[in-house]
Amino acid sequence: YSAAQMVAADRYAIDTLGIPGVVLMENAGRACAQLLEERYAAYFPGPVVVVAGKGNNGGDGYVIARILADHGWQVTTLVLAQPERIAGDAAITLQVLQRCGGRIIFVNDEETLAQRFDELQPRLLVDALFGTGLESEIRGLSAVAVALINDTAAPVIAVDLPSGVDASNGRICGCAVRADLTVSFDHPKIGHLSAPGALYVGE
């Protein structure tokens, strides 16, 4: 699927079938958490760091963080946005994570982000920054996050596709996360299978 086809599939599920978007988000995050626990059981209890953006990909990440924490993992969610900038279904899953006592750190600047990575020393990383909705080059704080993720020795699990890979053609949007495992939702994306993006998805 291209990004546009995936948007159309989501709209069909929500508008025609009547499945609320937050239910789709819950299902996606739950599937990611389950696969992470199966593939990386030897890494329990972590620490796990979920790096999340403000959009739906971040919303999936909040679900993952909540479920893993509920199962006993040591999870910290680094959010590259302030809470007031998070809206829609992602805001709902963030509020649930907060009410369940999840450890969340909202990051505004590059120095703080680098310090947090150094302090947390993650054994597993979840990339929930950008999904199929990415339309521009990754810059600023997000680009620093991608570099920090790629510099760590911890295995990286990408939510839907590695942040920075264009879902429709495999183009690298300035920079991209190099994942060890990518969990794709509904269908593979063209970007998973097209160079150079295909070189970033891992398994």
Side-chain angles (χ1 to χ4, degrees):
Y1 275 22
S2 67
Q5 287 173 313
M6 198 61 239
V7 169
D10 280 343
R11 291 264 50 100
Y12 177 80
I14 294 167
D15 296 338
T16 302
L17 300 181
I19 305 171
V22 71
V23 173
L24 299 177
M25 191 171 284
E26 180 75 17
N27 290 345
R30 191 170 292 278
C32 276
Q34 180 180 349
L35 194 55
L36 181 150
E37 291 192 280
E38 290 172 357
R39 296 298 180 91
Y40 297 104
Y43 288 77
F44 183 83
V48 180
V49 172
V50 178
V51 185
K54 64 179 181 178
N56 286 344
N57 203 249
D60 298 334
Y62 307 143
V63 174
I64 295 166
R66 189 190 81 239
I67 291 170
L68 292 180
D70 189 50
H71 293 176
W73 292 79
Q74 299 169 1
V75 186
T76 302
T77 305
L78 297 178
V79 183
L80 272 60
Q82 287 305 295
E84 60 271 15
R85 296 191 63 202
I86 301 167
D89 296 329
I92 295 172
T93 59
L94 175 60
Q95 289 166 7
V96 175
L97 176 61
Q98 290 172 312
R99 290 169 182 171
C100 289
R103 186 180 185 211
I104 307 166
I105 300 173
F106 297 96
V107 182
N108 291 312
D109 62 273
E110 299 173 6
E111 183 178 352
T112 300
L113 181 62
Q115 288 174 349
R116 293 293 180 259
F117 260 82
D118 189 53
E119 292 165 2
L120 292 169
Q121 293 290 307
R123 294 193 70 202
L124 287 173
L125 271 163
V126 176
D127 163 31
L129 272 173
F130 298 104
T132 56
L134 181 65
E135 296 178 343
S136 59
E137 303 296 288
I138 295 181
R139 299 185 178 89
L141 185 62
S142 297
V144 172
V146 169
L148 289 168
I149 291 170
N150 288 340
D151 283 345
T152 185
V156 177
I157 299 89
V159 177
D160 205 15
L161 77 166
S163 294
V165 174
D166 190 309
S168 298
N169 54 35
R171 181 178 73 90
I172 302 304
C173 300
C175 59
V177 167
R178 292 189 178 274
D180 296 282
L181 176 68
T182 298
V183 185
S184 178
F185 306 137
D186 192 69
H187 276 72
K189 313 306 183 291
I190 296 169
H192 289 137
L193 307 173
S194 302
L199 304 175
Y200 288 73
V201 299
E203 181 184 356

